[in-house]
Amino acid sequence: MVRRRQRPAAATLNITPILDIFTVMLIFLIASYSPEEARIKKSAQLELPKSTMSLSHVPKIQVEVTDDYVKVNGREVEGVDPKMDKNLMWMKVREKVKSVSKKENEPILLMADKATTFKHVDRTVAHLAAAGFGEIYFLTERHENLPEGTLITPTEGGAQP
Amino acid sequence: MKRRLRNRITSEAELNLIPVMNLFVGLVPFLLLSAAFVPLGGMDVKIPAAAAKEIPADKKKDLSVTFEIKNGTLVIAGYYNDFTQPAPGVSGVFSTNDSVNILAYLAEIKRNHEKIEMSLLHVHEDTKYEEAIKLLNIIRSKDEFKNVLLATEVVE
């Protein structure tokens, strides 16, 4: 008796589960897509403070401040140490912001880590104001359901009634 | 003549998934990269015109309120006449964690004064940014203090 060698059946790829996943992900991502928020370029390690306020619009000029550096539109301004109060050094920040602005008193989005000493933020804001930019937006993490009077304790985390 | 019915062998139309997959492979990574999974908010603050200048003077008898954040406390004080005359009865010191009493005091200021001309926030240099934002959020939750000005250091 001659046995016929059967060809192994070609393996077929079942793409139904992949399509299921992609469809659900796509619907979710389209629903949550916000072109305004996508324009915000902040460093990944930056932890923002919380607030209940929402951002009405995203300014084009974005300044990021920590205890160690100042960035304008994602690029660190060389030679600037927020801990120092040398006017010459801060002139670089003013010049950089003026070079990226298209009109006078353009609003600025200020991003700072929640652990940043306010003095450094204050100094940055003061120099921006002296350069003619008096409209500053502080970027925060929004908590919509925060009832009035509920605080976030910095060290413990979580909301307290 | 009988027409022979031909058995038509109809092949089922196959669904071409390549364009759909192209769409998914292109759109999903783009949307994933641009997605912000943490809702972002913001607070706009106004700064007195050019930090080197003094705060412009205004009406005489309208109340102006100052908020000072220092060493874990919030000091609230009221003034008349361009911050030259302290307003009697408008003075309070609160812990920065005491949001309930802060809000109650702000509501009381609002009840006792017809108009609040200006409010100014000064944050002591050693305060953490998070604490300043937290208190600014509380102060701005009252409409009368929505336009609180941030007093910064004077620079040239």
Side-chain angles (χ1 to χ4, degrees):
Chain A
M1 192 167 84
V2 177
R3 262 196 186 170
R4 273 196 190 166
R5 219 170 80 185
Q6 290 182 343
R7 281 186 190 170
T12 55
L13 180 65
N14 185 9
I15 60 169
T16 305
I18 297 175
L19 278 182
D20 279 343
I21 292 170
F22 275 178
T23 307
V24 171
M25 276 177 68
L26 193 63
I27 292 168
F28 168 74
L29 290 171
I30 287 174
S32 63
Y33 180 68
S34 165
E36 289 273 311
E37 288 189 3
R39 289 202 284 122
I40 296 174
K41 306 276 181 257
K42 73 169 186 69
S43 300
Q45 71 271 19
L46 215 66
E47 280 188 54
L48 298 171
K50 296 178 176 64
S51 82
T52 54
M53 306 279 169
S54 57
L55 201 56
S56 50
H57 79 283
V58 176
K60 286 186 182 141
I61 305 175
Q62 300 178 11
V63 175
E64 188 177 314
V65 186
T66 64
D67 288 336
D68 303 310
Y69 64 78
V70 176
K71 283 184 182 177
V72 176
N73 284 356
R75 287 189 181 174
E76 188 172 336
V77 184
E78 295 290 332
V80 174
D81 184 356
K83 296 187 279 290
M84 313 275 284
D85 191 16
K86 294 177 182 169
N87 267 352
L88 210 62
M89 184 181 72
W90 285 98
M91 283 300 165
K92 292 183 193 175
V93 175
R94 296 195 205 181
E95 289 307 316
K96 182 72 184 170
V97 173
K98 279 182 184 170
S99 70
V100 298
S101 73
K102 292 191 174 131
K103 54 181 180 178
E104 279 190 26
N105 199 17
E106 200 172 332
I108 292 179
L109 182 69
L110 192 94
M111 303 176 277
D113 189 273
K114 64 182 183 183
T116 305
T117 311
F118 194 83
K119 177 169 65 178
H120 305 143
V121 176
D122 184 87
R123 191 169 287 153
T124 308
V125 170
H127 282 279
L128 290 172
F133 300 94
E135 196 178 335
I136 311 280
Y137 290 79
F138 287 147
L139 186 68
T140 61
E141 198 178 295
R142 196 175 72 233
H143 271 242
E144 283 182 2
N145 296 324
L146 210 59
E148 193 176 274
T150 301
L151 291 179
I152 303 290
T153 305
T155 49
E156 292 165 15
Q160 291 180 357
Chain B
M1 186 168 97
K2 274 188 185 173
R3 263 199 185 164
R4 200 186 283 175
L5 291 170
R6 273 182 276 172
N7 287 330
R8 283 186 189 174
I9 301 169
T10 55
S11 60
E12 286 183 5
E14 286 187 358
L15 185 63
N16 186 6
L17 291 172
I18 294 173
V20 175
M21 290 301 293
N22 278 342
L23 188 75
F24 283 167
V25 168
L27 263 184
V28 168
F30 166 72
L31 290 173
L32 263 175
L33 285 170
S34 60
F37 295 105
V38 173
L40 298 174
M43 271 190 271
D44 61 311
V45 286
K46 299 285 189 299
I47 298 142
K53 291 184 189 170
E54 290 179 6
I55 298 159
D58 253 289
K59 309 278 167 66
K60 289 178 185 173
K61 268 294 178 183
D62 295 322
L63 181 72
S64 299
V65 180
T66 62
F67 300 94
E68 187 177 357
I69 303 171
K70 187 176 177 179
N71 297 335
T73 60
L74 174 69
V75 179
I76 301 176
Y79 296 90
Y80 295 125
N81 286 346
D82 314 329
F83 294 95
T84 55
Q85 185 186 344
V90 185
S91 173
V93 180
F94 303 90
S95 162
T96 53
N97 292 327
D98 194 4
S99 63
V100 174
N101 283 328
I102 291 171
L103 287 166
Y105 194 67
L106 294 179
E108 191 187 321
I109 292 175
K110 178 197 164 186
R111 271 197 304 273
N112 296 336
H113 295 86
E114 197 179 304
K115 189 182 173 188
I116 291 161
E117 182 61 32
M118 184 192 292
S119 48
L120 197 65
L121 171 68
H122 177 253
V123 183
H124 191 259
E125 56 186 29
D126 289 335
T127 309
K128 286 289 175 209
Y129 178 59
E130 185 181 16
E131 193 168 14
I133 291 293
K134 179 180 79 180
L135 285 160
L136 192 57
N137 192 38
I138 292 171
I139 293 166
R140 290 193 56 170
S141 63
K142 291 290 178 195
D143 284 339
E144 295 69 32
F145 302 102
K146 212 160 197 159
N147 295 319
V148 57
L149 296 174
L150 179 67
T152 60
E153 66 180 58
V154 176
V155 297
E156 291 169 18

